Amino acid sequence: MKTYIYLLVLQILLLFPNSSFADNNPEAGKRPIATIYGKVFCNGEPVSFASVQVVSSTIGTATDIYGKCKLELPAGGHQLKIQAVGFKTASVYVVATIETQNSFSVNLEEDLLHLEQVVVTADRNARKRTESSVIVNTLNSGLFTTLQTSSLSEGLSFCPGLRVENNCGNCGSNQVRMNGLDGPYSQVLINGRPVFSGLASVYGLELLPTSIIDRVEIVRGGGSALYGSNAIAGTVNVITREPLNNQYEVQVQSSFIGAGTNPEPDNYLQFNTTLTTENSNQGIAIYGFHRNRSPFDANNDGFSELAKIKNSTLGIHWGVKPGYRSKLTVDFFHIDESRRGGDAFNKPLHESNIAEATEHRISSGNLNYHLFTAANKELSIFAAAQSVNRDSYYGAQRALNAYGNSQDISYSTGSQFKINFSNNTLIMGAELNGGKLNDKKLGYTEFIVENGELNTTIYPNRQVANQKTTISGVFSQWEHRIGHFSLSAGLRIEHYLINDALSEAPEISNMVFSPRLNILWGLKKPLQTRVSYSKGYRAPQVFDEDLHIETSSARQVIHLNAPDLKQETCHSYMGSINYHIVRAEGSLEFMAEFFYTSLINPFANEIGTPDDKGIVVYTRVNEEEGAIVKGVNLETTWIPDPKWRLNASFTFQSSRFGAQQDFNETKFFRTPGEYGYFLIEYKPAKNLLFSTNATYTGMMLVPYFGPLAPVDDYGNTVGILNKTKKFIDWSVKTAYNISSPFGNFQVFAGIKNLLNNYQKDHDSGPNRDPGYIYGPLIPRSVFFGLKINNIL
C-alpha cells in the first residue's frame, strides 16, 4: 500500500511542474469568449447528435436534430474534431473572433463498416479501430436494439470468439466463454475499472440491463499488462451512457417464454434520458430498468429450468467542465435483483424440495477527473467502487442450514498520464485494486420432539469465507508509428496479497510481471496484419464465488482450494489479417484472427467421493502438464447497398489439458470445437426494418451426475460424460417507425429460438443434476413491444 502511494504521488509531482495549465493560465483567462456556429451534414442531409470537440480541451457540444450547433470558446484559432456514429471522423480548423459572426460547415462521409469507430479498451487510449494495435469488437446500443436484448448476456454471443451459456438449471447462473476459456479468465470492466467482483459476476451478465449501456468493447487475448489479474482470455468493458445531447427513450416489452408449450411471461420496462446545458458545460444521464420473469418448467416435472427473476435498476451519470481543459464525471447505478429456481414457488424457501435463490443489492460508482495539462498531455485521476450485499439460499430436502449472506466490497483507484509527441504515445500510470468479502451461513433453531419432550438446538452463524485482496501496481505503454507500421510495447508490475482468516494458508502473495508486444502493419491501408504477444495471470483466490453450489436432494457440491494452489499463468500469441473494401456499390470487411494460448499451472477440479449425506467436494488444484487453447476466429461484414447489412462469424478451436482429467478426458468440458453466428438486417423502406439472427454451437462434452448416472460398488454416483448434439438458435424480428408531432414511435415483434432447439433431455425430479444444462438460453419465445423517443 505505501509503495503504491509513493509511486502515485511521485508521478503527479513529476508531471505537474512541466505542465502548462490553460485553466489557470492568466493569459488564457484574459482571452475574450467568442461564439461560433456550425452545421454538420452528409449528402445534403443534417447529421443529428454529432459530437463537436475542440482538440486538447474539454470544450465540446453536439448537433441538434437539424445538424446545427453552437460553441462558446476563447477567441483565436482552434482545431475541431467532428464525430458521429456511422460516419468518418472529420477535422476542421476555425478562427473565432468577437468582431464578426463565426461559422463552419462540415460534410461527413459515411462509415458503414465502422472502420473509424473510436475505441479505448485496447490500450487505454481513444483511437480509431483501424489504428488499434489489437482487434477490438464493439457492441453498441443499436445492436442490442436489433437483437432485442434485455440484458448483457443475450448480446455477447454476437461477438467473434464469445459464447454465453447457462451453467445451472436451478438458479440460472451464466458465464461468457472467450476463445474457449471459462468465464473467470475474462476481466469484466465497468467504465474501464475492474470493480465487477467474482461475487457479482456469478449472475452479472444477466444482472446488467442493456438500457444502462452505451457500448461494450471486447478485446480478446491476454490483457494483464493493462488490466491486471484475470484478463487472460480478454476483457469485456461495459461503458455506461454519457450525456451528449437532449434526448429520451422509453420502451416496454412483453415476451412469452416457451411459446407453443407452457408459456410463461417475461415483461420489462426501460427508459433513459440525457440532458445538457446550452453551453454543454454540464450534462446528466438518467436510466432505469424493471423486469419481471416467471419461472419456466421445460419438462413438467415441477422444477424450473429458468429461474424466476425480478430486477430493478436505476443509474445516473453527471459531468461538469470546470474549465476549458478539465472535466469531472460521476457514474452511479444500483441494482436490486431477486431470483429463485427449484420448486414450490408459493412456499418459503426451506419448505421446497430444491431451492436456489438470491437477492442482490449492488451499488457501483465511478469518479473520474480528466485534465489536459498542456497540448497533447492528458492526466486522469480516478476512483471506483462496488458494493454487493447478497442474501442466498442453496438447499434441498427442506434444509434450514442453507440460508446465507455475502457482503463484498471491491475498489479501484489510481492515475494515468498520456503524452503524444511526434509519432509516439506514452501512457503510464499506477493503480490500487482490491476488495473484501465476508460470506457466512446463517444460524437457525431446530425443534425436535422425542419421547413426548421438546428439545431445542441452536446453531449459530457459521463463517464460510473472510477474504481480503490487495493488488497494487504500475504500468506503462509506449507506441511508435512510422509509415504504415505501429509498434506498441507495455509492461505492468503488480503485487498481489490475499488474506483469508479461515484458510490453512492465511496469506498468499507474489510479484508479477506482465509484458505485452503488439505490431500493426497497414495503417490507413485496406489490408492490415497484426501480431501480438502478452503474458497474463490469474491469482489463486481463496474464495471464488464463480464456483457456486449446485444442489439437488441427492447431491450437494462444495468447492475448495488445494493448500498449495499456485497462480495460473498464460502466454498468449495472436495474429490477424483484416481486409476491407469501401465502394459506392457495396462495402465488405473480412477478418481472420489466429490465437494460441499456453496455460501454465491451470486450475482443474479433482472430484471427490460423496459422503453419506451426498456431499461431494471439488478440490481446485494446479494441472502440472498445463493446457493449450488454440484456434481461429473468422468474421465478415457485407453491405451490398444501404438496404442490407450482413454480419457473420465462425470459430474453430481446440482446448485441451496436457494430461487426462476427469473421465480420462483431455478436452475442456462444455467447450465446442466450432461455433458462430450471423445477423442480417434489411430496411426496404425508411420506417420499416426486418432482421434475423442465429447462433450455432457444435458438439461438446457435458458431465452428468443425476439419477440416471451409474454408481460404484458402494452406491456412490460416478457420473457419465455425454456428447451433446449440434444446435442452432434462430430468431426473427420486424419493427416499424412512426413519426409524429408528439414524438417518434416504434412498434416491434418477433420470435426467438424459432426452431425451438431447446435442450430435450433435461434431468427430472428432486434428485436431478442442475449442472446438466446446455443449448440455447431460452426456448421458443414470442415478444412484442413499443418504443417512444425523439431520436428515430
Side-chain angles (χ1 to χ4, degrees):
M1 173 74 77
K2 292 182 179 179
T3 302
Y4 166 80
I5 294 175
Y6 293 154
L7 289 171
L8 177 59
V9 172
L10 178 61
Q11 178 190 12
I12 296 174
L13 291 177
L14 288 174
L15 297 174
F16 276 13
N18 298 319
S19 301
S20 174
F21 295 96
D23 287 345
N24 302 321
N25 189 332
E27 294 300 321
K30 295 178 181 179
R31 293 167 62 182
I33 301 300
T35 302
I36 188 169
Y37 299 87
K39 183 176 182 181
V40 181
F41 56 93
C42 176
N43 298 327
E45 296 293 325
V47 177
S48 304
F49 308 125
S51 169
V52 181
Q53 187 76 29
V54 179
V55 176
S56 293
S57 81
T58 59
I59 302 174
T61 186
T63 59
D64 59 19
I65 59 174
Y66 306 106
K68 298 180 179 180
C69 66
K70 182 178 74 170
L71 278 171
E72 294 181 353
L73 68 174
H78 301 276
Q79 192 75 29
L80 303 183
K81 183 171 64 174
I82 299 92
Q83 295 174 299
V85 177
F87 297 90
K88 296 182 179 180
T89 300
S91 181
V92 61
Y93 185 80
V94 298
V95 178
T97 61
I98 60 173
E99 294 85 5
T100 60
Q101 181 171 324
N102 309 278
S103 64
F104 69 92
S105 63
V106 176
N107 184 20
L108 296 182
E109 295 182 51
E110 288 189 276
D111 181 26
L112 298 178
L113 294 175
H114 304 302
L115 298 174
E116 299 202 17
Q117 186 178 49
V118 175
V119 294
V120 297
T121 308
D123 56 8
R124 291 178 174 260
N125 183 27
R127 187 171 299 285
K128 296 178 183 178
R129 185 168 67 92
T130 53
E131 297 178 1
S132 171
S133 58
V134 296
I135 295 291
V136 182
N137 286 89
T138 301
L139 310 180
N140 56 35
S141 56
L143 175 67
F144 294 137
T145 297
T146 300
L147 298 174
Q148 210 55 50
T149 61
S150 60
S151 64
L152 177 62
S153 62
E154 298 176 70
L156 287 179
S157 293
F158 290 85
C159 178
L162 270 64
R163 285 183 56 250
V164 177
E165 63 180 21
N166 188 355
N167 291 328
C168 179
N170 284 336
C171 65
S173 67
N174 49 48
Q175 67 171 319
V176 59
R177 291 178 179 265
M178 187 180 298
N179 284 353
L181 293 171
D182 292 349
Y185 289 93
S186 300
Q187 180 71 274
V188 178
L189 308 169
I190 304 295
N191 293 316
R193 313 302 175 210
V195 294
F196 208 66
S197 64
L199 179 64
S201 64
V202 178
Y203 307 98
L205 300 182
E206 200 169 25
L207 280 170
L208 289 172
T210 54
S211 61
I212 77 172
I213 299 173
D214 176 69
R215 68 187 188 277
V216 180
E217 295 182 357
I218 296 108
V219 176
R220 294 175 295 276
S224 292
L226 288 179
Y227 296 104
S229 177
N230 298 341
I232 287 181
T235 56
V236 177
N237 189 8
V238 179
I239 301 172
T240 56
R241 295 183 181 271
E242 183 177 354
L244 297 175
N245 43 58
N246 297 324
Q247 65 181 60
Y248 70 89
E249 181 176 276
V250 180
Q251 178 175 310
V252 60
Q253 176 180 313
S254 292
S255 303
F256 291 96
I257 300 175
T261 54
N262 303 309
E264 295 290 348
D266 182 9
N267 304 314
Y268 73 83
L269 168 70
Q270 66 181 35
F271 72 89
N272 62 76
T273 183
T274 59
L275 300 170
T276 59
T277 58
E278 185 177 358
N279 59 7
S280 297
N281 283 339
Q282 291 194 59
I284 188 171
I286 303 174
Y287 44 84
F289 174 82
H290 179 75
R291 182 184 189 184
N292 191 347
R293 186 180 80 181
S294 297
F296 176 73
D297 181 4
N299 53 7
N300 296 316
D301 66 340
F303 297 86
S304 66
E305 272 67 49
L306 292 176
K308 178 182 180 180
I309 293 179
K310 287 187 177 180
N311 183 314
S312 295
T313 300
L314 184 64
I316 186 172
H317 174 105
W318 174 69
V320 61
K321 302 172 184 177
Y324 298 138
R325 297 180 181 258
S326 60
K327 183 178 181 180
L328 175 68
T329 59
V330 180
D331 294 280
F332 177 82
F333 65 82
H334 179 80
I335 300 174
D336 271 323
E337 195 232 40
S338 64
R339 66 172 59 213
R340 177 177 175 177
D343 71 329
F345 287 87
N346 59 339
K347 295 181 179 180
L349 295 170
H350 58 269
E351 290 295 323
S352 58
N353 291 302
I354 297 175
E356 291 195 22
T358 60
E359 292 187 6
H360 286 90
R361 295 168 295 278
I362 300 177
S363 296
S364 181
N366 186 9
L367 178 67
N368 186 75
Y369 180 69
H370 185 86
L371 176 67
F372 288 91
T373 60
N376 300 318
K377 294 183 180 180
E378 302 177 41
L379 172 69
S380 294
I381 301 174
F382 58 86
Q386 178 183 264
S387 170
V388 181
N389 190 339
R390 192 192 74 171
D391 294 319
S392 61
Y393 181 89
Y394 294 107
Q397 297 178 324
R398 300 174 174 82
L400 287 171
N401 62 349
Y403 287 96
N405 176 262
S406 306
Q407 296 183 353
D408 180 40
I409 296 178
S410 56
Y411 60 86
S412 175
T413 183
S415 67
Q416 174 180 305
F417 190 75
K418 183 180 74 172
I419 306 173
N420 289 316
F421 56 98
S422 184
N423 293 322
N424 299 273
T425 300
L426 177 64
I427 296 176
M428 50 187 172
E431 281 187 0
L432 175 65
N433 303 318
K436 182 174 178 59
L437 172 69
N438 277 289
D439 187 66
K440 60 185 177 182
K441 290 294 184 181
L442 301 183
Y444 62 98
T445 303
E446 185 177 61
F447 300 94
I448 300 177
V449 178
E450 295 180 349
N451 302 323
E453 294 184 1
L454 178 64
N455 296 321
T456 302
T457 304
I458 299 176
Y459 296 89
N461 292 345
R462 179 169 58 90
Q463 195 80 20
V464 177
N466 184 0
Q467 175 182 306
K468 181 180 179 181
T469 303
T470 304
I471 303 176
S472 57
V474 293
F475 62 89
S476 179
Q477 178 173 279
W478 168 72
E479 180 184 12
H480 179 68
R481 297 173 298 279
I482 180 171
H484 298 298
F485 279 92
S486 174
L487 170 68
S488 64
L491 176 65
R492 188 183 187 97
I493 304 174
E494 229 170 31
H495 178 267
Y496 66 79
L497 175 64
I498 302 174
N499 297 97
D500 193 286
L502 307 180
S503 173
E504 295 181 4
E507 184 175 297
I508 302 175
S509 65
N510 197 12
M511 183 76 74
V512 183
F513 295 82
S514 301
R516 70 181 295 203
L517 177 66
N518 305 88
I519 300 175
L520 162 65
W521 179 88
L523 282 173
K524 302 178 181 179
K525 287 283 188 178
L527 177 65
Q528 295 185 320
T529 59
R530 294 172 172 86
V531 293
S532 67
Y533 162 78
S534 60
K535 181 182 177 181
Y537 81 100
R538 184 179 170 203
Q541 297 181 6
V542 179
F543 180 85
D544 188 347
E545 183 58 28
D546 201 59
L547 300 174
H548 74 292
I549 297 174
E550 298 168 347
T551 51
S552 69
S553 64
R555 190 169 185 270
Q556 182 175 357
V557 178
I558 297 177
H559 293 264
L560 297 178
N561 289 339
D564 58 347
L565 190 67
K566 303 175 184 177
Q567 74 182 37
E568 188 171 4
T569 304
C570 87
H571 297 279
S572 177
Y573 306 87
M574 302 190 72
S576 65
I577 301 174
N578 188 276
Y579 180 70
H580 65 265
I581 302 173
V582 180
R583 295 176 180 172
E585 61 271 20
S587 300
L588 174 68
E589 182 179 18
F590 174 78
M591 180 273 292
E593 180 184 54
F594 305 89
F595 57 91
Y596 182 96
T597 302
S598 173
L599 297 175
I600 301 173
N601 295 323
F603 299 147
N605 285 325
E606 289 184 349
I607 302 177
T609 301
D611 61 17
D612 56 354
K613 296 181 180 180
I615 298 176
V616 60
V617 175
Y618 282 24
T619 303
R620 188 166 60 171
V621 298
N622 293 117
E623 171 51 52
E624 294 182 358
E625 299 297 327
I628 298 294
V629 178
K630 57 185 177 181
V632 57
N633 296 312
L634 305 174
E635 183 187 17
T636 184
T637 299
W638 181 38
I639 306 174
D641 60 58
K643 294 182 179 180
W644 289 91
R645 183 181 183 90
L646 299 89
N647 177 250
S649 173
F650 206 85
T651 297
F652 299 93
Q653 70 169 48
S654 169
S655 304
R656 290 181 177 271
F657 287 103
Q660 292 182 344
Q661 303 295 307
D662 300 319
F663 302 100
N664 298 319
E665 181 60 62
T666 59
K667 291 182 179 179
F668 284 20
F669 295 162
R670 307 181 67 92
T671 305
E674 66 277 338
Y675 54 92
Y677 70 85
F678 75 78
L679 172 62
I680 301 175
E681 298 176 73
Y682 174 53
K683 194 172 184 179
K686 183 177 180 180
N687 295 330
L688 183 62
L689 175 67
F690 295 102
S691 65
T692 182
N693 64 80
T695 59
Y696 165 82
T697 305
M699 182 275 295
M700 56 185 171
L701 301 175
V702 179
Y704 171 72
F705 294 95
L708 301 179
V711 296
D712 59 20
D713 295 338
Y714 301 96
N716 298 317
T717 301
V718 296
I720 55 177
L721 193 61
N722 287 336
K723 290 184 179 180
T724 68
K725 296 181 179 180
K726 304 174 183 179
F727 55 85
I728 295 177
D729 184 357
W730 179 30
S731 303
V732 295
K733 175 193 171 182
T734 183
Y736 186 74
N737 299 330
I738 305 171
S739 299
S740 76
F742 308 102
N744 301 306
F745 299 83
Q746 183 186 84
V747 291
F748 57 87
I751 303 175
K752 295 185 178 182
N753 197 357
L754 181 64
L755 303 178
N756 200 28
N757 272 335
Y758 199 52
Q759 182 177 343
K760 299 298 190 295
D761 61 341
H762 284 108
D763 211 4
S764 301
N767 295 332
R768 68 178 184 164
D769 178 7
Y772 185 67
I773 187 167
Y774 59 89
L777 297 178
I778 60 174
R780 181 190 294 126
S781 302
V782 176
F783 66 88
F784 54 89
L786 173 68
K787 180 164 61 176
I788 306 173
N789 62 27
N790 66 337
I791 55 175
L792 285 179

